[in-house]
Amino acid sequence: GHADHELARAERASTRARQAFALAAGFFAVVQTVAFGSFERQLITVAERETLLSHATWAGVCLALCGVLMLAADAALRTRGITEDVILDVANKARSKGRSVVDDLIEYYAGLVESRRATNRIRTLLSFLVQLAALVAIGLVLWELIFSLDARLN
């Protein structure tokens, strides 16, 4: 049904956010090893060291932002579900008010679907921001890698 479709959309958005973060974190770790491991301490100038540290710091900040956004996209947006207790509660409330149980269940389900859609809009935005932060972090790390290789070759 519609509620299941919204759950699937939520999972896809969360998966994209986790994958983007994992890619950026893996790339960050590898490049830090290469960039800082490629120099003998006495062969790197103070200016080169400061530039490398600056690049690594900014990449780390972007990676941390990516992680925070990933956690928000993945865990912070939970929606209600339909359990036996919920069905019984909705049915009992409808009966006690003299209303149609079917109508109240349909109304509850429609509200559930709309709630999941609204949550998914936020989750999709957060997932996009995770991917953007991951891309920026990867770009900064790539810049750091190119700088370190250029400095080593010169």
Side-chain angles (χ1 to χ4, degrees):
H2 294 290
D4 291 338
H5 175 71
E6 292 302 322
L7 279 177
R9 286 183 60 213
E11 187 54 38
R12 284 192 305 273
S14 291
T15 297
R16 283 192 311 270
R18 287 189 299 268
Q19 288 172 341
F21 176 74
L23 175 65
F27 195 64
F28 180 86
V30 169
V31 168
Q32 297 318 309
T33 302
V34 171
F36 287 97
S38 66
F39 292 105
E40 295 291 330
R41 185 162 180 80
Q42 61 272 24
L43 297 180
I44 187 171
T45 68
V46 172
E48 289 170 337
R49 185 178 310 121
E50 288 175 359
T51 300
L52 274 176
L53 289 173
S54 173
H55 290 178
T57 299
W58 283 110
V61 166
C62 281
L63 186 61
L65 176 63
C66 183
V68 167
L69 290 168
M70 186 269 306
L71 289 174
D74 194 37
L77 300 169
R78 298 291 175 215
T79 57
R80 63 184 185 207
I82 297 178
T83 63
E84 291 175 12
D85 291 338
V86 169
I87 292 170
L88 290 173
D89 187 49
V90 170
N92 288 334
K93 285 180 182 176
R95 283 188 190 114
S96 71
K97 293 178 183 177
R99 295 172 41 112
S100 165
V101 172
V102 172
D103 288 347
D104 279 15
L105 286 172
I106 290 170
E107 184 179 316
Y108 179 85
Y109 183 76
L112 173 73
V113 171
E114 184 50 41
S115 171
R116 286 183 178 171
R117 282 184 182 149
T119 299
N120 279 342
R121 285 190 287 274
I122 296 167
R123 190 185 319 271
T124 299
L125 174 63
L126 288 171
S127 179
F128 170 76
L129 293 175
V130 168
Q131 293 169 356
L132 183 62
L135 184 62
V136 170
I138 288 170
L140 288 169
V141 168
L142 186 58
W143 181 32
E144 177 187 353
L145 179 63
I146 291 168
F147 176 83
S148 71
L149 294 175
D150 180 63
R152 184 175 186 198
L153 294 173
N154 288 330

